[in-house]
Amino acid sequence: MTDISAVIFDKDGTLFDFQKTWGGWAAATLDTLAGGDRALADRLARAMRYDPVAQRFAPDSLVIAGTTGEVAHLLQPLLPHFGVDQLADELNRLSCDAPQTPAVDLPACLGGLRARGLPLGLVTNDSEAGARAHLHGAGVAGLFDFIAGYDSGYGAKPEPGQLLAFAHAVGIAPARIAMVGDSLHDLAAARAAGMRAVGVLTGPATQSVLAPAADVVLTDIGGLPGWLDSGARVFRKPA
């Protein structure tokens, strides 16, 4: 297996448990957007493929892997008093305050990877501001060498622009980088960038969905050290 010298992560469903983080937030947010109109909130939920009773997203929900702009385009016809850009800004504002549920002990897990000499990156289809707010809230923003959202100028997954920007920023060939994510968008971006594709099961996608597109599927990112030790040899870039 190709030596690994850096790791880049998706955010939602990878660093943070997707359903536990966004399930409750979505119910409150749809009520806010609907101005308390229960019927409108239900229509918004159906458009998003979201169950407000169970507070869970269906595996094919656009919210899981889409950008905030794409979600705004989806919902705006039901909220004509918003422009698309205005709605995207409102969703970004509301998402910054969403309480995050870490998938694992992030300081310990990410700190351990840094101790191995691995640069770390974060690429998300959320906004960069939202990503930075969530990482700061979890106490791990300082562990990342690179953070990019869909609005950072590199495009969005499944295109490889964000991933290649990370490779350029840390000066490491894509073939020596592992991309870790919970969706097929993440794994497709990894393949397009020429990186190793690592799936995790802390998002809505199942093992059977991710396995055909991944080099390995882990229960969560806590399995990365064991995977690295079992064959994905770590190559430390010279100082």
Side-chain angles (χ1 to χ4, degrees):
M1 181 176 287
T2 303
D3 294 337
I4 300 300
S5 58
V7 182
I8 189 166
F9 294 91
D10 168 57
K11 179 171 69 73
D12 300 318
T14 301
L15 298 184
F16 303 100
D17 184 287
F18 187 90
Q19 302 285 16
K20 291 178 181 178
T21 292
W22 296 106
W25 173 88
T29 295
L30 294 183
D31 185 64
T32 297
L33 292 175
D37 182 335
R38 185 69 262 160
L40 176 56
D42 286 343
R43 291 197 297 274
L44 293 169
R46 287 194 294 273
M48 292 171 59
R49 301 281 289 127
Y50 170 72
D51 182 342
V53 176
Q55 296 193 345
R56 294 184 66 84
F57 288 89
D60 60 349
S61 170
L62 176 67
V63 175
I64 293 167
T67 68
T68 308
E70 290 171 335
V71 175
H73 273 282
L74 175 70
L75 298 182
Q76 192 274 335
L78 296 172
L79 298 166
H81 54 289
F82 281 104
V84 172
D85 291 342
Q86 181 188 14
L87 181 55
D89 288 344
E90 181 68 0
L91 289 169
N92 282 330
R93 183 186 70 80
L94 292 168
S95 71
C96 284
D97 296 329
Q100 304 294 296
T101 301
V104 299
D105 183 335
L106 292 179
C109 179
L110 300 175
L113 295 173
R114 287 301 297 256
R116 291 171 176 252
L118 296 172
L120 304 181
L122 186 285
V123 292
T124 176
N125 282 355
D126 191 1
S127 67
E128 181 177 336
R132 290 185 180 276
H134 297 155
L135 294 177
H136 277 292
V140 295
L143 297 176
F144 287 89
D145 301 275
F146 180 90
I147 299 169
Y150 79 96
D151 53 356
S152 300
Y154 309 113
K157 298 171 290 182
E159 298 303 317
Q162 294 171 318
L163 284 67
L164 295 174
F166 169 68
H168 178 76
V170 297
I172 295 172
R176 292 185 179 274
I177 298 174
M179 168 64 199
V180 187
D182 70 299
S183 75
L184 292 177
H185 269 31
D186 298 319
L187 304 181
R191 294 296 186 214
M195 298 180 180
R196 308 302 293 188
V198 180
V200 290
L201 299 176
T202 40
T206 63
Q207 169 89 22
S208 62
V209 169
L210 296 179
D215 292 299
V216 63
V217 178
L218 306 173
T219 300
D220 54 47
I221 65 170
L224 281 170
W227 176 65
L228 292 169
D229 291 340
S230 69
R233 301 184 307 278
V234 176
F235 176 83
R236 290 179 175 82
K237 187 181 177 184

